[in-house]
Amino acid sequence: MKAWVNKAKEYLAHSLGKVPQELNELDWKENLSPKNDKLCQHICAFSNLPGGGYLVFGVEDKTAKPKGIEKKEADSIVEKLSSLCRDGVDPLVSIDHSIEEYEGVQLLFIHIKESAVKPVHLAHKTIEHSFIRSGGTTRKASRQEIGGLMLNSKVPVFEELHASTLKNQIEVMTLLDYATIYRLLKVPIPSTGEEIMKWLSGEKMTVEVDGNGYYITNFGALAAAQNLNEFDGLARKSIRVIKYEGKNKSGGSKEYPGSKGYAIGFEGLIQFVKSLLPGSEVIKHALREETSV
């Protein structure tokens, strides 16, 4: 069982007590609303809430009684909410989900995680379109409340920003030279792709999005990209070393074609630099060695 599920069940039990009431931390529904704007407002509100919040599907709207949900419907809800978390709000919001038994029926629990960067607002609009939870309902945030959210916001770190569009596992493992990273760290390569992806996410080289794919971070691309030209915005950050002949730039030159990530391309860079340095051979212990001057 996922760590957050027990807390969600406790909130649901409290919400469905003798006098059913919705909480700031949890909202239960019979099924998914067709109104995307309303759903995006809920996503904004829960992601702006300390600790995030929960949506539970499979509870009758009129009676507040758990009636259950079919897996096919649950999968459709998760897919729709995941899409809105990517495209309907800004910044991107992360969610998790689990189908759990509750009072003899299966309910869909959605955990909308708290966003580090606040305020979360409707996509393609200003921060004036931010929403919060208040009195068990979702409402538009006031300017003072938006200011408070901004004070509790984490400043985005360049290394953690997304360098790619959403990729699947095969695309990530093709774009990143993870094998060289493992070799440099002197650790064995895991036997499965799932273990590799979990490690990449743990090292913040990728960000998993609700089981729908991965974003490669700036850190991941700059460290391990097979070719930085594959990442918009990072191609100009490739390492470039030029050796000019003479004292000006008019003479012939040699250039290092540095398109790889910094970590995996470092050994090649050093070899290129050494090849440009004047060298000599010395005989030591009956062996001939080449040294750079």
Side-chain angles (χ1 to χ4, degrees):
M1 182 183 293
K2 297 180 178 180
W4 55 267
V5 170
N6 283 332
K7 181 180 290 187
K9 286 186 174 181
E10 290 176 7
Y11 281 131
L12 181 61
H14 179 61
S15 180
L16 299 180
K18 293 182 179 180
V19 181
Q21 57 181 331
E22 293 182 341
L23 311 175
N24 282 344
E25 298 83 3
L26 181 141
D27 193 357
W28 42 263
K29 299 179 180 297
E30 189 168 346
N31 46 46
L32 191 65
S33 169
K35 300 178 180 179
N36 287 351
D37 285 347
K38 191 70 175 178
L39 291 172
C40 288
Q41 291 174 16
H42 284 312
I43 292 170
C44 290
F46 282 124
S47 58
N48 284 326
L49 185 70
Y54 307 92
L55 290 172
V56 181
F57 294 93
V59 180
E60 289 184 342
D61 294 328
K62 293 182 179 180
T63 65
K65 298 295 182 182
K67 73 167 193 175
I69 191 170
E70 297 294 331
K71 185 179 185 305
K72 183 177 180 180
E73 183 182 1
D75 290 343
S76 177
I77 290 173
V78 172
E79 183 178 355
K80 179 67 174 294
L81 289 176
S82 296
S83 176
L84 292 176
C85 285
R86 293 192 302 270
D87 305 322
V89 299
D90 188 25
L92 176 148
V93 170
S94 179
I95 66 173
D96 196 5
H97 72 278
S98 182
I99 297 177
E100 298 288 337
E101 183 174 333
Y102 185 86
E103 294 188 359
V105 298
Q106 299 293 317
L107 300 180
L108 171 63
F109 289 80
I110 302 284
H111 181 202
I112 300 176
K113 300 177 183 179
E114 178 185 2
S115 175
V117 181
K118 301 182 183 70
V120 178
H121 56 89
L122 299 183
H124 312 300
K125 295 188 178 182
T126 68
I127 61 173
E128 296 289 333
H129 293 84
S130 301
F131 293 82
I132 61 171
R133 295 287 288 178
S134 177
T137 62
T138 292
R139 66 169 175 82
K140 195 172 184 179
S142 67
R143 289 194 173 185
Q144 291 78 10
E145 288 165 335
I146 291 173
L149 291 171
M150 295 176 69
L151 288 174
N152 291 292
S153 175
K154 174 185 174 183
V155 178
V157 179
F158 171 79
E159 290 84 354
E160 297 178 0
L161 297 178
H162 301 160
S164 72
T165 55
L166 200 63
K167 304 292 185 184
N168 60 37
Q169 177 177 310
I170 295 176
E171 289 173 322
V172 172
M173 295 176 69
T174 300
L175 288 167
L176 300 183
D177 185 359
Y178 61 89
T180 297
I181 296 295
Y182 277 107
R183 179 176 61 79
L184 292 172
L185 294 174
K186 298 181 179 180
V187 295
I189 299 176
S191 58
T192 67
E194 287 71 21
E195 291 178 287
I196 293 172
M197 296 308 300
K198 184 177 181 180
W199 182 83
L200 289 174
S201 293
E203 295 296 320
K204 297 186 177 181
M205 299 177 75
T206 62
V207 176
E208 184 178 6
V209 182
D210 315 319
N212 291 316
Y214 304 83
Y215 287 105
I216 297 174
T217 63
N218 283 337
F219 168 64
L222 288 173
Q226 297 274 17
N227 186 351
L228 283 171
N229 293 319
E230 298 286 343
F231 298 88
D232 294 338
L234 295 182
R236 295 179 65 85
K237 296 185 181 295
S238 300
I239 295 176
R240 189 183 184 197
V241 179
I242 302 175
K243 177 182 181 298
Y244 294 102
E245 302 296 337
K247 296 183 179 181
N248 55 54
K249 298 181 180 180
S250 61
S253 63
K254 293 182 180 179
E255 182 174 349
Y256 175 72
S259 61
K260 291 182 177 292
Y262 302 162
I264 67 170
F266 185 73
E267 291 176 319
L269 171 64
I270 295 302
Q271 290 300 318
F272 176 79
V273 172
K274 288 178 65 175
S275 71
L276 300 178
L277 299 175
S280 61
E281 290 185 338
V282 297
I283 296 177
K284 184 178 182 180
H285 303 303
L287 296 175
R288 189 183 301 271
E289 294 183 358
E290 185 174 310
T291 63
S292 297
V293 179

